[in-house]
C-alpha cells in the first residue's frame, strides 16, 4: 500500500504519488501544503506527427519518435513541466541522415513556463552515437524536446530514431499562490 496521503494510479507501490494538497516523493513522504499554497503537478504534453500519450503525475517516463524508423519531414514537440529540476537522457539515438549531415535534429530547450515562448537551447543533437549517459537538465522545471527532421534535396529517407527517458527531481516546498489568483488548467 502507498503511504498516507498518497495513491498509485498505476496500482504499484513504485508509482505512488502524493494526493492533491500534499508534496513529497510519494513513497517515503507526503507533507501537507500550507493554506494558500499549491504544488505544481508533473506533466508531459506533446504535439506533432509523432505518437505520444500525455501524462500527469509520474516523476519519470519515456517517449520516442515512434515505432520503426523516423521519416523525413517530421516535427514533434514534448514538454515536461514540474515544480523542480527536469532531466532527459537518450538511451537510444540514431538520427544520422544517410544523404546529408546535420539536416535532422533533436533540440533540448529550457523554458520559463509551459508556453515556452522564449526557449533557451541546452543542446542540439544530430547523429548516431549520442552518449546515453549524458543528462540534459532544465533547472526551471520546464524542459522541451523538439524533433525536426527535414528532407534533403527532395530525398525522403528514414533513420532508426530515438528513445528518451526523463525524470523530475524530488518535489520541493509548495509555492505561494499570487493573492486573488488561481489557475484552472494544467501548466
Amino acid at each position: 500500500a502507498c503511504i498516507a496521503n498518497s495513491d498509485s494510479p498505476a496500482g504499484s507501490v513504485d508509482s505512488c504519488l502524493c494526493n492533491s494538497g500534499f508534496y513529497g516523493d510519494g513513497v517515503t513522504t507526503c507533507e501537507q501544503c500550507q493554506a494558500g499554497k499549491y504544488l505544481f503537478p508533473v506533466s508531459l504534453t506533446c504535439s506533432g506527427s509523432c505518437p505520444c500519450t500525455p501524462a500527469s503525475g509520474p516523476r519519470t517516463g519515456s517517449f520516442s519518435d515512434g515505432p520503426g524508423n523516423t521519416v523525413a519531414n517530421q516535427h514533434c514537440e514534448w514538454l515536461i513541466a514540474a515544480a523542480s529540476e527536469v532531466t532527459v537522457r537518450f538511451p537510444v539515438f540514431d538520427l544520422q541522415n544517410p544523404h546529408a549531415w546535420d539536416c535532422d535534429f533533436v533540440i533540448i530547450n529550457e523554458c520559463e513556463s509551459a508556453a515556452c515562448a522564449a526557449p533557451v537551447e541546452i543542446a542540439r543533437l544530430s547523429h548516431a552515437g549520442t552518449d546515453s549517459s549524458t543528462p540534459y537538465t532544465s533547472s526551471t522545471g520546464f524542459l522541451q524536446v523538439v524533433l525536426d527532421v527535414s528532407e534533403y534535396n527532395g530525398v525522403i529517407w528514414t533513420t532508426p530514431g530515438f528513445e528518451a527517458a526523463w525524470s523530475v527531481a524530488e518535489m520541493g516546498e509548495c509555492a505561494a499562490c499570487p493573492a486573488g489568483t488561481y489557475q484552472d488548467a494544467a501548466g
Side-chain angles (χ1 to χ4, degrees):
C2 294
I3 64 170
N5 304 316
S6 71
D7 191 21
S8 175
S12 161
V13 173
D14 295 336
S15 62
C16 293
L17 303 169
C18 293
N19 295 333
S20 296
F22 295 85
Y23 67 95
D25 65 11
V27 178
T28 60
T29 62
C30 280
E31 303 294 325
Q32 187 169 15
C33 292
Q34 297 169 350
K37 293 191 173 187
Y38 71 101
L39 185 63
F40 188 85
V42 176
S43 67
L44 168 70
T45 56
C46 45
S47 63
S49 57
C50 300
C52 180
T53 303
S56 181
R59 290 181 310 279
T60 63
S62 62
F63 58 88
S64 75
D65 60 322
N69 288 344
T70 297
V71 179
N73 293 329
Q74 279 191 308
H75 182 87
C76 307
E77 296 181 11
W78 297 266
L79 179 74
I80 300 122
S84 59
E85 186 176 271
V86 180
T87 300
V88 67
R89 290 178 169 83
F90 294 89
V92 174
F93 193 93
D94 186 356
L95 286 180
Q96 189 166 344
N97 179 338
H99 304 287
W101 188 256
D102 290 347
C103 70
D104 49 304
F105 298 99
V106 167
I107 302 163
I108 301 127
N109 294 319
E110 181 175 67
C111 305
E112 289 296 322
S113 71
C116 205
V120 175
E121 189 173 298
I122 297 170
R124 180 178 293 249
L125 311 175
S126 178
H127 54 77
T130 294
D131 184 355
S132 64
S133 66
T134 301
Y136 302 96
T137 301
S138 170
S139 61
T140 64
F142 298 95
L143 186 135
Q144 180 189 53
V145 176
V146 178
L147 170 67
D148 195 9
V149 182
S150 304
E151 64 181 63
Y152 177 74
N153 287 338
V155 175
I156 303 294
W157 51 270
T158 63
T159 63
F162 75 89
E163 291 178 20
W166 60 271
S167 62
V168 172
E170 184 173 335
M171 299 296 178
E173 293 289 322
C174 300
C177 298
T181 65
Y182 71 95
Q183 185 149 339
D184 60 359

